[in-house]
Structure formats: C-alpha cells, structure tokens
Amino acid sequence: MKPAPFDYIKATSLDHALAALAAHDDAIVIAGGQTLVPMMAMRLARPSCLVDLNEIADLSGIETSEKYLHIRAMTRQAKVLASDIVRTKVPLLTKALSFVGHTQTRNRGTLGGSIAHGDPSAEIPLCAIALNAEIDLASQSGTRTVAACNFYEGPLMSVRRADEILSEVRFPIWEGGNIGTGFQEISPRHGDFAIVAVAVQLQFDADNICRRAAVALGGASPNPVRAAELEAALYGQRIDAALVAKIVGSIDRVLSPTDDLHASAAYRRRVAKSLTMRAILEAAI
Amino acid sequence: MSEIKLTINGVTRTASAEPRTSLLDFIREHLGLTATHMGCEHGVCGACSVMLDGVPVRSCLMFAVQADGHDVMTAEGLRDADGAPGVIMDSFIEAHGMQCGYCTPGMMVATHALLSQSPDPTDDEIREAIGGNLCRCTGYAQIIEAIRIAAQRLRDAT
Ligand code: FES
Ligand code: FES
C-alpha cells in the first residue's frame, strides 16, 4: 500500500461527481487511473479525496452529429481504437491510438483522462490539437467549451479549473474528398510515451490536390503544436517527396524543444523533421 | 475501511480494505490468491495483469474499491475445473515459456485475453498482446512459442 490515505467517493452521475468535487477541498477525480494511480503510489499526488468517475454510465459512449464525432470523456481508449465509427469519421484518431500504451492500459485508460492530463508527448492530446477538437468542461455553474488549441498552458497544465470535469471531446468530421492520415513517432519502445510524435490528416480532391491539411507535432514543445505554415504550403498541391522536403523546414519556427533524459533538443528538432516528412507522405498515399 | 464484494474466478468474495489498497494487494493479501505477481507496482511490467469484466488490466493501477461489484479473473482461474493446470499453463510448461516465473502469471492472463478474442493469432498479434508484459529472463521467444501451442490446442479442442 503506497498511496497516502484518502476518502473515496464512487460518483453515480456527473452532477454527483461535480457536487463531491465542490464539497471537498483538495478532491480530485479519477478517470482510468493509468497515470494518477502511479503518481499517487509515488506520492507525487496526495489527494485527500478521490471522486471516481468510472461508474457514471453516461460519461462514456461514442456518437456522431452532423459535424462532429462526440466521444464522452470516460470512453476507454480500447473502445475508441476498436470503434468503426471512429475509424470512418476521424481516421487519424484510430491510427494514433494503436501507439497509446498497451492492451491492458487501453482497457482502463480513457480518452478524456489522457487529454485532461496533458502529457506533452501523449498521442491523444496531439490528435485533439491537430484536428482542433472541442473540449467540454462541466462544473456546477454549467458547461463551457474550449478549443483544444486553447486548452493547454504548459506541460501537464490546462485551463481546466479544479471544480471542473472534462465531460466530452468533439472531433470535427472532415466530409468529402479522400482522407489520408499519417502518424509517426519515435519512442524507446513501442507503447512508451513518444520522444517526438507527428499527426497528419489530409484531404484530397478527385485530382489528388490537397484541399485541407492538419499537421501537429508533440514532444518537441511544452504542448503539441500545429504547423500552420506547413499546412498552408501543402494546400493546393499534389504531394510528393520533393515538395515535402522543400517545405518541411518551416516547422522549426513552431518547435521549442528542450533537453531531457530521453533526447537532446537538437535531436528532437532533427527527428521532428524526418517524422513530419514520413507522416505527410504516409497520408498522401 | 470499505467493504468490497466481487466475483473472483467465479466465486463471490467479500472483504474490507482501505480505499488506498490496490486491487493487486487486495487479491494477494485480503483474498489470499498469490498467483498475481507484484512487479513494479506502477503500471510498467504487466506482472499484475488480471481480467476485469472480461478484458485484461493491470491490477496495480486500480484500487480494490473500484472493483466492487465487478468480475475478476486471475491466473488461478486458468486452471481446469478439477485443478489441473489447464491448456495455457500446460503450453507454457511444454515450451518452457518461463525461467524465474515472475512474469508468467501476467503472460498467461495476456494469453488468455488474446486467445479468447482471436483463436488463431499471427505472431505479430501475439507480440502485440504481450507487448505490455516485461520478461527479464526468457528473451520472449519461448513465450511466443508457448502461446502458439496454446492457440493450436484450444483450436483443436473445439
Ligand atoms: S506490478 Fe502492475 S504493472 Fe508492474
Ligand atoms: S521468466 Fe523471469 S521474468 Fe519472465
């Protein structure tokens, strides 16, 4: 038994969870627990009260509306990975999820939990930023929506307040054309957090001209970043290796990597470029 | 203390534990089932793998109170009804898919999870299924062989 003692509240509804969160100083929610439990075991986190979201049935599920794929926050990563709706509507997410952890962690880990935690090199936040997902934050005073690109304020830091619960994430559905996706990462072992990861989704018209581009990079900045200049340079183009090699350099201007245990900043910049080229070409096939 | 009632290997058991007790500690210390091994205790090694409601999870990464009302299967549950080792254990013995045996219960639970989903897995699927289970001894080749044998035998049996 390693974590410090805490009170445990098994929430039965979102309202119940929000009330419990508001009523206890220093209470936090537990989603899949795949990051929080180790942090508690190492006593990096010592909440006095844990509000469990796992038994709230309407906090999980996958649905579509006209423009969006709606994923409730507690939907397990394994469910998202296996979902045919996700595969057809937001193919980038399916591709990225196969890089997230392992079967055992995906069966427990949730989509919302990964986004709320905000590891700089995690794959799910990277996709949310690449596709500019919308994130719902519920509290007792109502629900507000934040665009993924405005959600993070630094590594493991977001605009979510302590009394808020991330309830849903909506990914825009790209209608029409041919959609290509690319996901590339380098990590010490498959399933580990990435050193650098790149997510790409492209839309092509019947002449194979790129009509929409999303390119984002994780692990080379405090939070994942979009490569807007590169996206603009892909627009209107037929994509081949020569073109990508010519325009990929612009990503340097959005990256701000740092040295750490796993890799130097210089290595991250170099590998970011190679992975971006590969991911774009993967998406262009 | 919280009272926890769960089904473990088909039997309903009740015990009380502090909320901070991991499911892993609960299984080993409160329920006395010691096949589930404690490796890293922070979600890295997979030695603690159990089936929760039919899917494999790491029992060190959840609290026992969270398993209240749920269905758990441990490596003990892989034995045949008469207590004989069962197909998966037998295959690990036959291929010598272990040395020290520390990772083995987790490997066998991962094998059970894989074979209940895909009875005829490719080697890539086998590798993926045990990708979250570390073995410091075998180099994995014999474990993969054991899983191939188990898959074959389970197919032959049906
Ligand atoms: S003991 Fe649970 S993953 Fe290592
Ligand atoms: S047999 Fe020793 S760790 Fe796998």
Side-chain angles (χ1 to χ4, degrees):
Chain A
M1 212 149 46
K2 292 171 157 185
F6 56 84
D7 293 329
Y8 174 79
I9 298 172
K10 187 175 290 212
T12 52
S13 67
L14 181 56
D15 285 345
H16 180 198
L18 290 169
L21 207 51
H24 296 82
D25 281 348
D26 196 26
I28 58 172
V29 295
I30 181 166
Q34 305 299 286
T35 307
L36 180 59
V37 177
M39 282 172 69
M40 289 174 67
M42 290 183 260
R43 302 210 176 183
L44 296 168
R46 313 178 57 135
S48 62
C49 175
L50 207 56
V51 180
D52 190 355
L53 306 182
N54 280 278
E55 304 288 334
I56 305 177
D58 69 359
L59 266 190
S60 49
I62 300 170
E63 271 173 35
T64 52
S65 61
E66 207 186 327
K67 292 207 177 84
Y68 291 98
L69 174 76
H70 302 241
I71 305 183
R72 301 290 286 161
M74 287 297 293
T75 311
R76 309 283 174 199
Q77 292 156 7
K79 286 269 188 310
V80 182
L81 177 58
S83 160
D84 289 333
I85 304 177
V86 176
R87 191 186 322 280
T88 47
K89 300 296 182 187
V90 186
L92 179 61
L93 194 53
T94 304
K95 195 171 260 187
L97 268 158
S98 66
F99 291 87
V100 178
H102 305 283
T103 314
Q104 291 104 323
T105 59
R106 289 193 296 261
N107 279 329
R108 202 74 198 144
T110 65
L111 186 102
S114 171
I115 290 182
H117 181 61
D119 189 287
S121 58
E123 292 85 356
I124 298 171
L126 174 61
C127 289
I129 286 184
L131 300 174
N132 206 12
E134 293 184 351
I135 296 166
D136 279 353
L137 298 171
S139 71
Q140 283 195 306
S141 47
T143 299
R144 63 180 175 132
T145 299
V146 181
C149 59
N150 298 323
F151 184 67
Y152 294 110
E153 297 192 305
L156 314 184
M157 284 185 288
S158 74
V159 300
R160 186 179 66 84
R161 297 189 314 259
D163 66 333
E164 288 178 315
I165 293 175
L166 194 160
S167 55
E168 178 173 298
V169 185
R170 283 184 298 283
F171 291 86
I173 297 171
W174 291 15
E175 286 298 349
N178 292 320
I179 308 289
T181 58
F183 196 95
Q184 296 281 330
E185 71 171 41
I186 185 158
S187 61
R189 288 162 305 199
H190 183 74
D192 285 2
F193 275 116
I195 293 172
V196 175
V198 184
V200 174
Q201 186 163 293
L202 304 175
Q203 189 172 48
F204 297 95
D205 65 18
D207 297 323
N208 241 351
I209 305 292
C210 177
R211 291 297 171 200
R212 194 168 175 186
V215 180
L217 294 99
S221 314
N223 296 114
V225 285
R226 288 280 289 268
E229 216 178 313
L230 179 58
E231 291 171 358
L234 291 166
Y235 180 81
Q237 303 292 323
R238 207 171 256 129
I239 291 167
D240 60 26
L243 170 80
V244 179
K246 200 165 76 195
I247 61 179
V248 73
S250 70
I251 63 168
D252 261 339
R253 288 188 276 281
V254 295
L255 302 181
S256 48
T258 48
D259 296 328
D260 70 15
L261 222 57
H262 300 292
S264 67
Y267 175 79
R268 283 173 203 268
R269 269 190 196 280
R270 205 161 44 138
V271 91
K273 227 170 264 182
S274 309
L275 294 176
T276 304
M277 289 199 276
R278 279 186 218 165
I280 293 172
L281 293 173
E282 181 189 344
I285 288 171
Chain B
M1 293 292 245
S2 310
E3 185 164 281
I4 298 151
K5 182 177 179 186
L6 47 69
T7 310
I8 187 140
N9 303 325
V11 179
T12 304
R13 300 269 308 261
T14 307
S16 36
E18 278 188 75
R20 61 175 166 155
T21 309
S22 70
L23 178 60
L24 171 61
D25 280 336
F26 184 76
I27 290 169
R28 290 179 58 87
E29 288 166 23
H30 298 246
L31 302 180
L33 296 168
T34 52
T36 307
H37 284 174
M38 181 184 287
C40 63
E41 281 184 275
H42 65 275
V44 177
C45 72
C48 66
S49 300
V50 300
M51 302 293 284
L52 175 78
D53 299 328
V55 295
V57 301
R58 297 184 182 323
S59 62
C60 70
L61 290 191
M62 58 184 287
F63 296 108
V65 276
Q66 300 186 284
D68 182 44
H70 291 268
D71 182 77
V72 176
M73 195 203 78
T74 64
E76 282 99 341
L78 293 171
R79 286 182 302 211
D80 289 341
D82 63 0
V87 172
I88 292 175
M89 264 187 240
D90 258 344
S91 306
F92 271 75
I93 294 166
E94 176 154 335
H96 200 61
M98 73 201 80
Q99 285 178 33
C100 76
Y102 208 89
C103 68
T104 316
M107 289 289 181
M108 293 195 302
V109 168
T111 302
H112 170 78
L114 170 69
L115 299 183
S116 50
Q117 290 300 309
S118 49
D120 191 9
T122 63
D123 279 5
D124 278 350
E125 286 167 335
I126 294 176
R127 286 198 180 87
E128 175 66 28
I130 59 166
N133 295 71
L134 297 182
C135 176
R136 300 291 77 176
C137 303
T138 62
Y140 302 99
Q142 290 144 284
I143 294 174
I144 292 166
E145 179 61 19
I147 298 172
R148 281 194 210 112
I149 295 173
Q152 180 69 50
R153 287 192 182 156
L154 287 168
R155 283 201 305 280
D156 290 348
T158 51

